[in-house]
Amino acid sequence: MRPVIGITTYVEPATWGVWHDLATALVPHDYVAAVTGAGGRAVLLPPDDLDADVIGVLDGLVLSGGADLDPELYGAEPGPLTVTRPERDSAEVLLARAALEADLPVLGVCRGMQLLAVAAGGSLHQHLPDVLGHEGHRPAPAVYGRQEAIFAPGSRVAALMGDDRVVQCYHHQGVADAGSLRVTGLAEDGAVEAVEDPARSFVLGVQWHPEVVRDKRLFGALTAAASARKATDKTAHKAKSEAAGDPMG
């Protein structure tokens, strides 16, 4: 069976048929296609901050992109250009922390990388052009910026990306402090491009958008880690059942 990969969703007004501007839980299909193409079974997760019990039925998690995180999450006041989605923030911080605690394989994309950093005790730059002095990471509406990343030798992301260091990004916020995570990728201007947790089975955040190009290196690594977890859980369940005398396992 394919590993079940949860993908967090946006909540945005959407229009289809005769219905206009309905609040809708949605996600760009690129994420689903990237998970499916890498051998996973994509399941969409709408915001739900009642609990993080869904972690128990997932084999892996994609924290998707989207709007800015609420600066209150890292003890700051909102800047004039910060645009948040509180319903996502409360649900996804809960989910991310539960996933880290359970050592669930996680891939964070753009906002998802920033969420991982904040969930791990870090903080963000609310508007990178104020820090970097240029708009290169989001050059124009709906136009991806191209950055050449520098990856830490020996890191997971360096092994996955190899010599391919040009990435497509679209963001105006960035990681200022990665908390307990390790920064393993930087743009040439110093902006954080990748974070990971070497102590866990698979926790990787990237500031760019690998789903757009269906990058099987990153999504394949996630599904491989999720498949390994699924196999381990199945073996443990069978051993527990046999110990309890259940002939059906």
Side-chain angles (χ1 to χ4, degrees):
M1 293 178 63
R2 290 179 289 169
V4 176
I5 309 294
I7 306 173
T8 58
T9 61
Y10 303 38
V11 177
E12 300 290 342
T15 297
W16 66 93
V18 299
W19 309 106
H20 299 275
D21 294 329
L22 296 180
T24 306
L26 51 80
V27 72
H29 188 257
D30 285 335
Y31 288 99
V32 175
V35 166
T36 303
R41 179 67 165 95
V43 175
L44 303 189
L45 304 176
D48 183 343
D49 64 359
L50 295 182
D51 56 54
D53 287 358
V54 70
I55 290 294
V57 297
L58 297 178
D59 303 307
L61 175 66
V62 174
L63 297 170
S64 65
D68 304 330
L69 290 174
D70 188 342
E72 184 178 341
L73 293 170
Y74 48 92
E77 293 293 323
L81 298 177
T82 297
V83 179
T84 65
R85 296 291 185 271
E87 69 281 354
R88 285 193 69 182
D89 292 341
S90 56
E92 291 181 17
V93 167
L94 182 68
L95 196 63
R97 287 176 174 157
L100 291 173
E101 179 67 24
D103 196 18
L104 187 75
V106 180
L107 175 63
V109 174
C110 196
R111 165 196 160 96
M113 182 190 85
Q114 297 167 12
L115 179 73
L116 276 174
V118 170
S123 62
L124 305 181
H125 295 300
Q126 289 190 52
H127 191 55
L128 275 179
D130 292 342
V131 179
L132 303 176
H134 66 83
E135 300 270 0
H137 292 264
R138 190 178 65 175
V143 175
Y144 286 102
R146 288 171 60 84
Q147 301 293 325
E148 187 165 340
I150 302 164
F151 300 122
S155 64
R156 184 186 297 275
V157 71
L160 291 172
M161 296 297 290
D163 294 331
D164 183 6
R165 299 191 294 131
V166 177
V167 297
Q168 294 188 92
C169 58
Y170 190 81
H171 62 105
H172 82 112
Q173 297 203 328
V175 170
D177 176 359
S180 62
L181 302 180
R182 179 189 175 200
V183 174
T184 55
L186 295 172
E188 291 184 315
D189 58 16
V192 175
E193 291 290 342
V195 298
E196 53 192 84
D197 187 343
R200 289 182 166 88
S201 59
F202 186 91
V203 173
L204 174 63
V206 296
Q207 188 60 74
W208 66 92
H209 282 274
E211 79 284 359
V212 173
V213 295
R214 312 288 199 271
D215 193 330
K216 289 187 177 181
R217 293 168 299 183
L218 302 189
F219 283 91
L222 172 68
T223 56
S227 293
R229 177 188 174 88
K230 188 180 188 75
T232 299
D233 288 349
K234 184 176 180 180
T235 299
H237 176 73
K238 182 177 181 180
K240 183 177 179 180
S241 297
E242 290 175 347
D246 180 358
M248 299 300 293

